[in-house]
Amino acid sequence: MSFIFSCVGHRRGAAKLLHSHLYKNGLCKEVYLCNNLINAYLGTGDSVSARKVFDEMPLRNSVSWACVVSGYSRNGEHRDALVLSRDMVKEGVFSNQYAFVSALRACQELDSSVGILFGRQIHGLLFKLSYAVDAVVSNVLIYLYWKCGGSLAYALRAFHDIEVKNSVSWNSIISVYSQTGDQISAFKMFSSMQCDGSAPTEYTFGSLVTTACSLTEPDVSLLEQIMCTIHKSGLLSDLFVGSGLVSAFAKSGSLSYARKIFNQMGTRNAITLNGLMVGLVRQKWGEEATKLFMDMYSTIDVSPESYVILLSSFPEYSQAEKVGLRKGKEVHGHVITAGLVDLMVGIGNGLVNMYAKCGSVSDARRVFCFMMEKDSVSWNSMITGLDQNGCFLEAVERYQSMRRHEILPGSFTLISSLSSCASLKWEKLGQQIHGESLKLGLDLNVSVSNALMTLYAETGYQNQCCKIFSSMPEPDQVSWNSIIGALASSEGSVLEAVACFLNALRAGQKLNRITFSSVLSAVSSLSFGELGKQIHGLALKYNIADEATTENALIACYGKCGEMDGCEKIFSRMSERIDDVTWNSMISGYIHNDLLPKALDLVWFMLQMGQRLDNFMYATVLSAFASVATLERGMEVHACSVRACLESDVVVGSALVDMYSKCGRLDYAMRFFNTMPVRNSYSWNSMISGYARHGQGEEALKLFANMKLDGQTPPDHVTFVGVLSACSHAGLVKEGFNHFKSMSDFYGLAPRIEHFSCMADLLGRAGELDKLEDFIDRMPMKPNVLIWRTVLGACCRANGRKAELGKKAAEMLFQLEPENAVNYVLLGNMYAAGGRWEDLVKARKKMKDADVKKEAGYSWVTMKDGVHMFVAGDKSHPDADLIYKKLKELNRKMRDAGYVPQTGFALYDLEQENKEEILSYHSEKLAVAFVLAAQRNSTLPIRIMKNLRVCGDCHSAFKYISKVEGRQIILRDSNRFHHFQDGECSCRDFW
């Protein structure tokens, strides 16, 4: 009869037929038969019929209760199972332990708070019934306490209450320790298990392997020891154990062991295959993972998860965007024809992820749109793919759409969305996402916090960035790198970046090349060479000084600190590690240290080495020529960029605009700017600054208005430096203050020290010295060297007015920069302009006592045969006689036209005739006389460069020369360009 019941246990119709037969024959009152009938009904899932039989039984024994409780629990009707167990206790039937085991298993499946409550009540009853020491009961209790209550102490207590422990007991407690990540305790329990005489099973080793892999960096040597123990126990060929070992070794990066075990296994399944494929993909061996799948495809039944892993291998191909994408499309076609694409959402997610990582965003978007079912992973894959492919706006829109679908974002979704906000500089939306992370309790997730720090650093909220870092319970390496990088990129927080680096050292934080690159960037800004050398020593200690990233950062740091010898030593050792960044850093270093010939030699050496100049290298070289106003060489580089098809590149284009404006060809700069297909902030800023530099303030402001109307590039701090400089050079005081106020009111940009310097210059040039003094007193920050020098220069031009303000500015300059001769010269000029000759003598004595030397003023012109340089009163030029003859001729013509020497600019206490003679031989006059003598019949503009500010007398003389000679003269001094034509200057005498 038992055999018959077991045969019909999985066929509901047969169970009902047998029930009818028993009823007709009057056998329904037999307890033994009814118990079997209950089991038969519950085996088919028919709980209603089983309960009806149970309720109609005139007599029930402990087996009857055990059958119905275990059946309900097995069929997932956990609450009903617990109700029945309660009724059983009420009727005083304290069945055998198996009914209580079923009830405890039902507790495990309920909500943790409810399950643990019922579980403890049953545990208490079991203590009274002396069942608590039974191994079967305690094994279930161990798992119950860990799963529902998360209580390791209660689970351990239940384990120790067992009188005779079996292998299941040991496996249960080892599994609990494995899940908690307590590696030491898990292996101690395993050792105790062996001492107790219990033989380990495949489940024991499964937990131990899981424990060894639970570390951030799996311990390969520990896995090797486990493998040896498994081999001794004869379980190495077991499918479950072998699959676990393959997966463990693969995840730890020991693919040789993983492959060896995989090949030795007699039987393999999809889990074994998946474990090895995951390891290959993690090691970025995409081709190997695909080959393994193809080799095993015909020998095992691959699972849908296998296809998901296969799809993840294609982005790891060496040519992912070509070969990997093609293979991915082939697999996509296969899963469609095999009907797998809608079988599980993971395959759709894998396709979205594969297409996005292979660079085919359109295909990823198409798969995502046609997915029948989407989960949070689907949305995250799409948003992450869009962010990684530069589709930042669409990534943010997808995030908003996801929230409208009421899908809660996970940490990865938040990270990608915050990354897109950072790239778009959308701090407001980023702050809203920050708020959502707070609501979801994900703000303390290390990766989310790192993304938030990047957002606030990119959008200029340094204080908020620091707050997030300080609130992180356990910042990781990325966190330290982020905060150091954020502080290093902010001009006002460079010292804090160095301090933060030192804190990372004290905290025992592991440093990498990114850490050193960031702190070396900070040291570069400080131009503190000794500190750079100390950090170089640390990089050597950490054994990362020979990495290309660190070496490039060191070259950039030494270059900005004036240590070009150090740059050259590092450069000479790099050999095969030299990349585009290295070349750029070396060239920039030479330019920064005024070693232009070496910079140009390095460029030609690059070309001889077959190195192709990229857009950034062209920009660097162009900036070098712009810094010394070498127009002809700049035009040659322009021609090279055209041949390299880089003329339309926004980086090269912006550098060309900057170069032409700094070399005096504002017309070329403007023409090129107007033809640029794409403009960035550097393009707009270069052109605005170019107009300002050439004294065309109104044109600069018109261009600024066009920039705002364009709407593609919001104004930044550099833009406003150009705008305020334009107002300063054009004398637009009211407009300057309006733009200065709009920075914070309309654009949310806090004015920096350079903007206050521009405003001080604006008031000083306008002669508003009282307003200038009041403006400085009300500044929210201490004036720096540049501002005090601007004040002193303004007092010089005021012919002795506000001498006390000038004296105050000079005293501040002597404190801040005692070694700079310009400060002493300006003070002397102020006294000379006011006729205070005794004070001038004192100022010069002070300069002599400070042992500083004034930079000699010189001018130069570029001719076909090279560059010709002149200093005041210079007679060393081969054509000196011709130059001085032409100069006398010019003086005669100018006087006839009404020129009167402005002897106030001869800053010496001499007779009038002597002062006039001194003024006649200024370097810029010698330069213009040389060009006029050498180019008698030319009508081309004369281009002259001067290292210092042009004096008022020369400025007046050049207006007359342009008129009497009929030649345009373009003079670039240390402050701006002057365009002289027909007796007028572009600055309109406001300079």
Side-chain angles (χ1 to χ4, degrees):
M1 186 65 74
S2 297
F3 172 74
I4 295 172
F5 277 108
S6 66
C7 290
V8 300
H10 297 288
R11 297 176 62 188
R12 185 175 299 181
K16 286 187 175 293
L17 186 63
L18 186 58
H19 186 187
S20 176
H21 176 74
L22 294 174
Y23 184 78
K24 288 179 181 178
N25 291 283
L27 297 174
C28 284
K29 294 182 181 181
E30 292 291 332
V31 175
Y32 170 74
L33 294 175
C34 288
N35 290 344
N36 279 281
L37 187 58
I38 290 169
N39 274 334
Y41 273 125
L42 289 170
T44 64
D46 190 354
S47 302
V48 176
S49 299
R51 184 60 184 266
K52 185 177 180 182
V53 172
F54 179 78
D55 289 340
E56 291 175 352
M57 288 177 67
L59 293 173
R60 306 184 191 109
N61 59 13
S62 58
V63 177
S64 310
W65 287 100
C67 289
V68 74
V69 171
S70 62
Y72 269 87
S73 177
R74 192 168 55 250
N75 287 335
E77 299 175 66
H78 309 299
R79 289 185 178 275
D80 291 331
L82 290 174
V83 170
L84 282 166
S85 63
R86 183 195 61 190
D87 294 342
M88 177 184 75
V89 174
K90 280 183 179 179
E91 290 194 13
V93 177
F94 300 106
S95 175
N96 55 36
Q97 68 269 37
Y98 298 105
F100 291 108
V101 166
S102 297
L104 288 169
R105 287 201 174 109
C107 292
Q108 293 174 7
E109 304 303 325
L110 295 175
D111 182 75
S112 57
S113 58
V114 177
I116 197 67
L117 180 64
F118 277 101
R120 284 178 179 171
Q121 292 176 11
I122 296 170
H123 191 184
L125 180 62
L126 291 170
F127 260 113
K128 293 179 181 179
L129 299 172
S130 301
Y131 287 150
V133 297
D134 183 80
V136 177
V137 174
S138 294
N139 294 343
V140 181
L141 280 168
I142 291 169
Y143 188 68
L144 169 72
Y145 280 125
W146 170 244
K147 182 183 178 184
C148 296
S151 175
L152 179 60
Y154 279 113
L156 199 57
R157 183 175 175 181
F159 173 76
H160 288 308
D161 285 341
I162 304 172
E163 289 183 348
V164 180
K165 300 176 178 69
N166 58 18
S167 60
V168 178
S169 312
W170 290 102
N171 290 347
S172 298
I173 196 64
I174 291 172
S175 175
V176 168
Y177 276 122
S178 173
Q179 291 175 60
T180 61
D182 190 347
Q183 189 183 55
I184 295 173
S185 297
F187 282 95
K188 279 184 178 179
M189 279 293 175
F190 175 66
S191 179
S192 300
M193 176 183 183
Q194 290 178 307
C195 293
D196 189 60
S198 296
T201 65
E202 63 270 28
Y203 301 107
T204 317
F205 290 118
S207 295
L208 292 176
V209 170
T210 304
T211 305
C213 289
S214 63
L215 300 174
T216 307
E217 295 182 6
D219 191 340
V220 178
S221 62
L222 185 60
L223 284 171
E224 290 173 2
Q225 293 177 42
I226 295 170
M227 184 180 69
C228 291
T229 308
I230 293 170
H231 184 68
K232 289 178 182 178
S233 66
L235 290 171
L236 190 60
S237 59
D238 181 84
L239 181 61
F240 175 74
V241 176
S243 298
L245 277 173
V246 168
S247 178
F249 276 115
K251 287 179 181 177
S252 67
S254 299
L255 290 172
S256 57
Y257 275 115
R259 284 177 180 275
K260 187 176 180 181
I261 297 167
F262 183 86
N263 294 331
Q264 287 179 354
M265 291 177 66
T267 307
R268 309 181 193 106
N269 61 8
I271 296 172
T272 322
L273 172 65
N274 295 349
L276 185 53
M277 284 180 65
V278 166
L280 291 167
V281 172
R282 284 190 177 183
Q283 295 296 314
K284 302 189 181 301
W285 292 359
E287 291 89 347
E288 293 291 323
T290 306
K291 184 177 183 301
L292 177 67
F293 179 89
M294 298 306 297
D295 291 344
M296 299 300 298
Y297 181 74
S298 58
T299 59
I300 64 170
D301 293 328
V302 295
S303 64
E305 288 80 7
S306 305
Y307 285 101
V308 176
I309 301 167
L310 177 63
L311 289 167
S312 70
S313 71
F314 300 130
E316 306 304 334
Y317 272 45
S318 55
Q319 293 182 319
E321 295 186 3
K322 291 183 179 179
V323 182
L325 181 60
R326 189 182 73 245
K327 292 284 185 181
K329 287 184 175 181
E330 290 174 4
V331 174
H332 188 181
H334 174 74
V335 295
I336 290 174
T337 54
L340 296 172
V341 72
D342 294 323
L343 183 64
M344 62 177 287
V345 69
I347 290 180
N349 297 341
L351 286 166
V352 171
N353 184 59
M354 180 273 295
Y355 280 124
K357 287 185 176 178
C358 289
S360 182
V361 181
S362 57
D363 285 320
R365 193 184 292 119
R366 195 176 300 114
V367 171
F368 180 81
C369 291
F370 283 102
M371 285 177 69
M372 300 293 290
E373 180 187 353
K374 301 183 184 78
D375 58 10
S376 59
V377 178
S378 316
W379 288 94
N380 176 61
S381 299
M382 192 69 242
I383 293 168
T384 302
L386 291 167
D387 175 63
Q388 291 174 347
N389 284 278
C391 304
F392 307 120
L393 181 59
E394 188 180 352
V396 170
E397 289 173 348
R398 290 284 182 185
Y399 175 80
Q400 293 172 328
S401 176
M402 173 185 179
R403 298 300 290 121
R404 284 194 294 271
H405 282 79
E406 298 182 351
I407 296 175
L408 291 176
S411 57
F412 292 108
T413 314
L414 292 173
I415 291 164
S416 298
S417 303
L418 289 167
S419 172
S420 293
C421 289
S423 300
L424 292 167
K425 301 291 190 293
W426 284 8
E427 72 278 359
K428 296 297 181 186
L429 181 59
Q431 287 169 352
Q432 293 176 23
I433 297 174
H434 186 183
E436 288 208 68
S437 72
L438 288 166
K439 291 178 183 177
L440 296 168
L442 293 172
D443 59 304
L444 294 180
N445 177 284
V446 176
S447 298
V448 174
S449 295
N450 292 340
L452 285 167
M453 287 168 62
T454 303
L455 166 74
Y456 288 121
E458 289 289 328
T459 53
Y461 287 79
Q462 302 295 337
N463 292 336
Q464 190 66 26
C465 184
C466 293
K467 283 180 183 177
I468 290 171
F469 179 78
S470 61
S471 66
M472 293 176 70
E474 292 184 10
D476 61 3
Q477 188 181 66
V478 177
S479 313
W480 284 101
N481 289 347
S482 298
I483 191 66
I484 293 170
L487 294 170
S489 62
S490 174
E491 294 178 11
S493 306
V494 176
L495 283 171
E496 292 178 43
V498 177
C500 194
F501 173 77
L502 296 175
N503 290 335
L505 282 173
R506 295 188 191 103
Q509 185 64 41
K510 186 178 179 182
L511 308 179
N512 62 6
R513 62 181 185 275
I514 298 171
T515 322
F516 281 97
S517 298
S518 298
V519 74
L520 285 168
S521 171
V523 175
S524 301
S525 302
L526 293 169
S527 298
F528 194 177
E530 286 303 314
L531 182 58
K533 290 176 182 177
Q534 293 177 29
I535 294 171
H536 189 177
L538 274 174
L540 289 167
K541 181 181 176 181
Y542 278 85
N543 201 31
I544 57 174
D546 291 335
E547 292 189 19
T549 306
T550 309
E551 288 173 321
N552 290 338
L554 284 166
I555 289 174
C557 177
Y558 280 132
K560 288 186 179 177
C561 294
E563 302 275 354
M564 283 310 297
D565 288 342
C567 293
E568 289 170 349
K569 285 178 183 177
I570 295 169
F571 183 78
S572 64
R573 290 197 305 264
M574 291 181 70
S575 61
E576 295 180 359
R577 295 189 300 279
I578 295 175
D579 56 17
D580 291 346
V581 179
T582 316
W583 292 108
N584 270 331
S585 298
M586 283 299 297
I587 295 167
S588 299
Y590 283 130
I591 293 168
H592 179 76
N593 290 282
D594 297 325
L595 299 170
L596 187 60
K598 283 196 171 186
L600 296 178
D601 288 344
L602 191 60
V603 171
W604 301 131
F605 178 68
M606 281 177 62
L607 296 174
Q608 289 172 2
M609 293 281 291
Q611 180 72 29
R612 186 175 179 271
L613 298 180
D614 65 3
N615 53 352
F616 293 105
M617 288 185 189
Y618 274 111
T620 302
V621 175
L622 286 167
S623 71
F625 294 131
S627 65
V628 292
T630 311
L631 177 63
E632 290 75 12
R633 301 299 291 274
M635 293 179 77
E636 290 175 11
V637 176
H638 184 180
C640 291
S641 70
V642 172
R643 288 195 293 271
C645 300
L646 288 172
E647 187 183 27
S648 59
D649 181 86
V650 68
V651 176
V652 176
S654 301
L656 284 167
V657 170
D658 185 56
M659 184 272 293
Y660 280 123
S661 69
K662 285 181 178 176
C663 290
R665 293 309 304 255
L666 187 63
D667 53 340
Y668 283 9
M670 184 172 53
R671 190 185 310 161
F672 195 81
F673 176 82
N674 290 332
T675 58
M676 287 180 71
V678 179
R679 302 182 186 119
N680 60 9
S681 59
Y682 182 36
S683 319
W684 289 99
N685 295 345
S686 297
M687 197 65 240
I688 291 170
S689 298
Y691 277 126
R693 200 177 291 113
H694 287 264
Q696 298 188 26
E698 291 84 357
E699 292 298 322
L701 295 181
K702 284 181 184 177
L703 187 63
F704 177 58
N706 290 338
M707 178 183 183
K708 292 187 288 184
L709 288 172
D710 182 68
Q712 297 296 318
T713 309
D716 57 17
H717 286 93
V718 180
T719 313
F720 277 99
V721 170
V723 169
L724 296 176
S725 296
C727 294
S728 175
H729 287 302
L732 304 172
V733 178
K734 184 178 178 182
E735 289 84 348
F737 271 96
N738 288 338
H739 288 299
F740 181 75
K741 191 171 182 294
S742 71
M743 284 184 67
S744 52
D745 291 352
F746 295 106
Y747 300 101
L749 299 171
R752 297 174 178 171
I753 192 72
E754 56 265 32
H755 302 104
F756 284 98
S757 179
C758 289
M759 295 306 296
D761 188 54
L762 172 63
L763 291 170
R765 289 180 188 275
E768 302 281 359
L769 298 185
D770 292 328
K771 290 182 180 179
L772 173 58
E773 186 174 12
D774 181 59
F775 180 79
I776 291 172
D777 291 339
R778 290 188 291 105
M779 277 178 59
M781 61 194 77
K782 288 184 178 180
N784 65 357
V785 169
L786 186 58
I787 291 178
W788 285 121
R789 193 175 294 130
T790 300
V791 172
L792 183 55
C795 293
C796 289
R797 293 191 296 272
N799 297 323
R801 286 192 305 115
K802 299 291 285 187
E804 288 304 314
L805 176 61
K807 186 177 179 182
K808 176 185 175 183
E811 291 299 327
M812 294 302 299
L813 286 168
F814 296 152
Q815 291 178 26
L816 295 169
E817 209 176 39
E819 73 285 353
N820 194 332
V822 174
N823 303 328
Y824 300 93
V825 173
L826 284 173
L827 179 62
N829 291 353
M830 183 187 74
Y831 287 138
R836 297 170 59 174
W837 304 111
E838 292 181 3
D839 290 330
L840 172 61
V841 172
K842 291 178 182 177
R844 286 179 175 167
K845 184 178 183 302
K846 196 177 183 74
M847 179 177 176
K848 185 177 180 181
D849 294 341
D851 194 26
V852 293
K853 292 183 180 180
K854 174 190 172 184
E855 181 185 7
Y858 57 87
S859 301
W860 70 94
V861 292
T862 303
M863 305 290 280
K864 288 183 179 180
D865 59 346
V867 177
H868 296 259
M869 189 174 291
F870 303 91
V871 295
D874 183 20
K875 292 188 178 181
S876 63
H877 196 278
D879 297 325
D881 293 339
L882 187 64
I883 292 169
Y884 278 88
K885 182 181 178 182
K886 185 64 180 178
L887 198 55
K888 286 181 181 179
E889 180 189 332
L890 287 174
N891 280 330
R892 180 179 55 77
K893 286 183 178 181
M894 287 192 296
R895 286 178 184 272
D896 291 344
Y899 165 70
V900 177
Q902 298 182 26
T903 55
F905 291 97
L907 304 175
Y908 296 91
D909 188 13
L910 300 171
E911 295 297 326
Q912 184 72 12
E913 290 182 2
N914 293 335
K915 288 185 177 182
E916 290 183 12
E917 184 179 359
I918 289 172
L919 292 173
S920 298
Y921 303 140
H922 277 188
S923 62
E924 53 266 52
K925 288 181 180 175
L926 294 174
V928 75
F930 167 70
V931 177
L932 288 169
Q935 299 178 347
R936 293 180 181 178
N937 299 320
S938 176
T939 57
L940 293 173
I942 300 170
R943 301 180 187 279
I944 301 172
M945 308 297 160
K946 183 174 173 65
N947 67 324
L948 302 178
R949 185 176 181 270
V950 65
C951 77
D953 177 70
C954 290
H955 187 270
S956 175
F958 273 35
K959 289 195 291 184
Y960 281 98
I961 293 171
S962 68
K963 185 175 182 180
V964 298
E965 293 292 324
R967 296 281 294 272
Q968 182 186 7
I969 303 172
I970 301 171
L971 171 66
R972 174 183 141 172
D973 67 7
S974 59
N975 289 338
R976 61 179 296 165
F977 278 91
H978 298 268
H979 295 255
F980 301 95
Q981 192 165 14
D982 297 327
E984 299 292 334
C985 179
S986 60
C987 71
R988 289 174 291 185
D989 296 333
F990 189 86
W991 53 282

